[in-house]
Amino acid sequence: MSDFSKPYTAKEHEDRIYERWMESGYFTPENLPDAKNRKPFTMILPPPNATGTLHIGHAVMLAIQDTLIRFWRMRGRKTLWLPGADHAAIATQEKVEKELYKKEKKTRHDLGREEFLHRVDAFVEESRSTIKTQIRKMGCSLDWTREAFTMDAQRSLAVRTAFVRMYDAGLIYRGHRIVNWDPKLQTTVSDDEIEWMEEKTPFYYLKYGPFTIGTARPETKFGDKYVVMHPDDERYKQYKHGQTIDLEWIGGPITATVIKDRAIDPEFGTGVMTITPWHDTADFDIAERHKLNKEQIIDLQGKLLPIAGAFAGEHVTKARPKIVEKLKEKGLIEKVDENYIHRIAIDSRGGGTIEPQILEQWFISVSAKLWSVSSNEETTLKEMMQRVVENGQITILPKRFEKIYFHWINNLRDWCISRQLWYGHRIPVWYCVACGKNAKNEQDLQKCTRPIVSIEDLTACPHCGGAIRQDPDTLDTWFSSGLWTFSTLGYPEKTNDLEQYHPTDVLETGYDILFFWVARMILMTGFLLGDIPFHTVYLHGLVRDAQGRKMSKSLGNIIDPLTMSEKYGADATRLSLLIGNAPGNDLKMSEDKIRGYRNFANKIWNASRFVITNTEEFSPATTEKINLTLRDKKILADVERLSKEITKDIENFRLYLAAEKTYHYFWHTFADNIIEEAKPRLKGTDTADKTSAERMLYETLITLLKLLHPFMPFVTEAVWEKVPNNKDSLLMVEKWPV
RNA sequence: GGGUCCAUAGCUCAGCGGCAGAGCGUUCGAUUCACAUUCGAAAGGCCGAUGGUUCAAAUCCAUCUGGACCCACCA
């Protein structure tokens, strides 16, 4: 058995070993030895976007999850780790549109909806297979027979079913709301997808009748006919709420109405402002409170409407200087603050500047009353989301994120779920355009005027048989992601999988999508199944470079996990992502660190070779009969203590400690001390002492290989093959040493 | 404005009431040995500051300083 080649070269083993695992079928829980008597352990892989390639953020999640799943598999659980991909509507559509424009100078409108979606599907097909190959390179023991995609037939059925059920329960409604509109991508964007940028802009103090108002956006001021101040502001006490004032404004004389509202900060500027409810969230709220008129100033392309008079049709950014010029001419500018810092909202996915607009959108109400199946009382989605974490049904690790979660829930508003994209789940709502002309009775006629919600595709109005059209919008990506723990298991059918594997045990993901995704899964599962989606949420941090900066293409500091795995092996890459990675904390990563763990893989290889070549005549059956010296017994007891400690650490998600302890013990205790001390004994003439040493070394190595396997599956499996007694067995399904 | 967290060796961090620790890096030395992807050794710390609780504080409490992040968003 001395065919160990001299340094360990990961490349020679990894693909081959992955193939062996695949052939064994053990990634599928039902194929595990004695599967019937195993208790299930489930994790669903957070689906990577179907557009991308694997990056270091994926690698860290894969390393943690594969470690957990391998640990629980060896501990005798019926482990299911289910893979999939997310269609990532906005990101994917944007990518394909860019490609299309670059290659053919066409927009999606040139192709039409159907043809465009064909292109997207082709693109997604290709990326999905790329990322799948890359996930395998990392050694992930995922059940590929259950692979899912958020846009496949089964998941689409789940999405429509969920929509219809929520609609029927009165949770989904349509309404005019102010939303974040991205004029570049021509869609709404959720609050969570916005990034704020600071920009130095002139701040204008404008004369508004007897008042002075401040604004950084004079181009939105055309329609302003309400002037708002704090009710307790002494300076303006002579003006009464509702009082009208005639004054000269940009486009000529207007009549303004005084509004008193507590949202105004008397300290800011002059303590008086005018409002633009159509294009500002705060102004919209004020207008709603006092039932004021709202007027649109800017269209969906970002151009000024006829209300702007001479400036109509001009893009806001181009019109602004001209408008300032006109204000100057009219003597309406009192002063300009040149050093004002203005914050502008950017769509973090596509980069367009957000222009708030009032639009008709679909919403999920988080505060509508509904009947809770599980607690048998009236509740709201918001209360339900809070309760399951509060009462410990769901644990979020690290604990401090529970506080952050509660804080978020407290400020939660209704969730806007419609997007004006083409790629995604089309909203399963139809409108009768035949105006109910064939309706048989008054009841049906009335139904024709309302939205028709259906799980099945409709081709004609079910009430009058007339023509219909489907809502053009698609659903927010997170709507389908929210169903992920159970849509992957067969929902809406009551499948065996759903029965057996849900709720899942652990959801492992980055803290950056706690609100986007984790919270929404809790919401969806709570309503649709009356259950929780998972027992434990484990949140990892961001991977940063050695200087602690975010990795980005422009900084050129990206560490590509695939290049690293190619160079140093997947095991080394994985270990570098686990050690020093405490939950919820960001992790600093450098190539040097990975190189260090490559050396460790080689250490395992070499020390194992030494032990294996010196214990060749052993078989587990005979080792039992060999008497151990006191010292060797003590060593084995130490290893047992270590095993217990490691087990506890992994059970409590302290992978960073478990990995480091095992690493340290293997290298600096086992290799540096135990093996060194055993060398003379192996060459000695005292047979009893010699065999005791052999047994001790053999058993220690076997235990350490098992302890290391979840962290470094390839090298440990490669060594396992070299142990004479193991022949065709796989370390992957060996019993955990406790 | 509201919230969360961090500060310990040059760097990355562990320790979270009982003698200040690890990895990497640095310096010096070794090398027919399973392994130069190696081994041995050394240097390196007022545990951010101040005050308090305690027999005892890096650890608990308060305040401050510096930093990171999240949420809200100010016309």
Side-chain angles (χ1 to χ4, degrees), chain A residues 440-489:
Chain A
K440 290 185 190 75
N441 52 46
E442 187 61 25
Q443 252 184 344
D444 276 354
L445 184 69
Q446 273 192 9
K447 282 181 190 161
C448 285
T449 61
R450 292 202 290 264
I452 305 151
V453 177
S454 162
I455 293 175
E456 305 287 325
D457 269 325
L458 297 180
T459 49
C461 174
H463 309 301
C464 73
I468 47 166
R469 83 184 153 77
Q470 189 173 2
D471 196 298
D473 289 357
T474 49
L475 287 166
D476 181 9
T477 315
W478 299 104
F479 187 98
S480 53
S481 315
L483 314 174
W484 196 238
T485 61
F486 54 93
S487 68
T488 51
L489 294 172

Side-chain angles (χ1 to χ4, degrees), chain A residues 54-277:
Chain A
L54 201 76
H55 56 66
I56 198 86
H58 294 125
V60 75
M61 121 188 147
L62 295 171
I64 294 170
Q65 291 176 30
D66 193 49
T67 300
L68 288 172
I69 211 84
R70 284 181 186 273
F71 168 76
W72 287 106
R73 188 182 292 118
M74 291 175 80
R75 291 209 66 195
R77 299 285 285 269
K78 193 176 178 183
T79 44
L80 171 61
W81 186 24
L82 198 152
D86 192 287
H87 66 285
I90 200 164
T92 308
Q93 173 162 331
E94 230 247 328
K95 212 157 183 166
V96 176
E97 281 189 284
K98 259 192 189 153
E99 274 298 88
L100 187 67
Y101 190 76
K102 215 169 121 191
K103 285 190 184 147
E104 303 174 36
K105 293 269 174 264
K106 282 181 182 164
T107 69
R108 70 178 197 264
H109 300 283
D110 295 331
L111 292 186
R113 188 160 184 153
E114 203 175 327
E115 175 56 24
F116 178 75
L117 289 178
H118 277 308
R119 302 282 185 105
V120 178
D121 285 340
F123 171 75
V124 163
E125 187 81 6
E126 201 192 312
S127 326
R128 274 185 65 197
S129 76
T130 309
I131 201 151
K132 199 161 136 181
T133 315
Q134 293 172 332
I135 290 173
R136 291 174 184 213
K137 288 270 178 209
M138 298 302 297
C140 298
S141 51
L142 286 150
D143 183 2
W144 295 104
T145 65
R146 284 181 164 90
E147 197 184 350
F149 178 47
T150 50
M151 285 289 282
D152 63 24
Q154 180 65 47
R155 264 45 68 176
S156 298
L157 177 65
V159 164
R160 286 179 167 210
T161 308
F163 187 97
V164 171
R165 283 200 51 199
M166 295 181 102
Y167 183 86
D168 289 344
L171 291 176
I172 289 183
Y173 66 93
R174 201 158 62 132
H176 287 276
R177 287 298 158 89
I178 189 153
V179 292
N180 307 301
W181 179 257
D182 178 351
K184 190 177 152 200
L185 290 180
Q186 289 290 297
T187 184
T188 48
V189 178
S190 75
D191 290 346
D192 307 303
E193 283 166 323
I194 283 178
E195 263 170 33
W196 293 86
M197 300 246 299
E198 290 198 340
E199 196 187 61
K200 201 165 139 185
T201 326
F203 188 83
Y204 303 94
Y205 286 89
L206 306 178
K207 196 168 142 53
Y208 191 79
F211 308 105
T212 301
I213 59 151
T215 185
R217 299 199 59 192
E219 71 277 10
T220 64
K221 297 280 127 189
F222 291 102
D224 290 7
K225 53 186 183 184
Y226 298 103
V227 59
V228 193
M229 61 214 67
H230 196 279
D232 301 336
D233 196 327
E234 288 295 313
R235 290 170 294 180
Y236 306 109
K237 102 176 153 205
Q238 73 267 38
Y239 300 102
K240 298 280 174 291
H241 180 82
Q243 175 184 349
T244 56
I245 296 166
D246 292 321
L247 55 91
E248 180 65 21
W249 193 225
I250 314 173
I254 60 156
T255 302
T257 307
V258 173
I259 299 294
K260 302 266 179 168
D261 193 283
R262 295 185 176 275
I264 305 303
D265 176 9
E267 304 293 315
F268 187 89
T270 55
V272 183
M273 70 174 203
T274 61
I275 56 168
T276 314

Side-chain angles (χ1 to χ4, degrees), chain A residues 39-45 68-69 72 77-82 392-397 485 489 497 499-508 532-538 651 653:
Chain A
K39 194 179 155 215
F41 179 92
T42 321
M43 284 196 305
I44 312 286
L45 176 75
L68 288 172
I69 211 84
W72 287 106
R77 299 285 285 269
K78 193 176 178 183
T79 44
L80 171 61
W81 186 24
L82 198 152
Q393 281 187 73
I394 296 176
T395 308
I396 303 178
L397 294 173
T485 61
L489 294 172
D497 272 10
E499 176 69 28
Q500 219 186 135
Y501 297 112
H502 203 272
T504 64
D505 290 271
V506 179
L507 178 86
E508 198 286 333
I532 50 169
F534 30 68
H535 297 286
T536 307
V537 178
Y538 177 97
E651 280 176 352
F653 298 93

Side-chain angles (χ1 to χ4, degrees), chain A residues 458-610:
Chain A
L458 297 180
T459 49
C461 174
H463 309 301
C464 73
I468 47 166
R469 83 184 153 77
Q470 189 173 2
D471 196 298
D473 289 357
T474 49
L475 287 166
D476 181 9
T477 315
W478 299 104
F479 187 98
S480 53
S481 315
L483 314 174
W484 196 238
T485 61
F486 54 93
S487 68
T488 51
L489 294 172
Y491 177 90
E493 274 119 75
K494 290 191 172 65
T495 57
N496 277 338
D497 272 10
L498 198 53
E499 176 69 28
Q500 219 186 135
Y501 297 112
H502 203 272
T504 64
D505 290 271
V506 179
L507 178 86
E508 198 286 333
T509 192
Y511 66 72
D512 51 330
I513 56 173
L514 175 64
F515 308 138
F516 280 126
W517 192 41
V518 179
R520 265 125 202 205
M521 285 196 281
I522 296 174
L523 181 157
M524 289 294 198
T525 317
F527 175 72
L528 293 163
L529 301 184
D531 206 344
I532 50 169
F534 30 68
H535 297 286
T536 307
V537 178
Y538 177 97
L539 299 167
H540 64 252
L542 251 56
V543 183
R544 296 170 177 278
D545 74 0
Q547 280 106 57
R549 301 173 302 178
K550 272 191 184 176
M551 290 190 186
S552 72
K553 276 184 195 152
S554 56
L555 276 172
N557 60 350
I558 287 182
I559 294 180
D560 172 29
L562 294 157
T563 314
M564 291 300 117
S565 297
E566 189 73 12
K567 244 170 132 173
Y568 305 111
D571 288 329
T573 309
R574 289 168 60 127
L575 202 58
S576 72
L577 292 165
L578 290 171
I579 293 184
N581 191 358
N585 287 354
D586 291 351
L587 176 70
K588 289 185 187 158
M589 183 46 59
S590 64
E591 190 165 340
D592 284 345
K593 193 175 171 187
I594 303 170
R595 194 181 296 123
Y597 294 122
R598 185 267 318 260
N599 297 355
F600 178 52
N602 191 47
K603 185 53 123 177
I604 295 172
W605 186 249
N606 282 308
S608 300
R609 172 172 50 229
F610 178 83

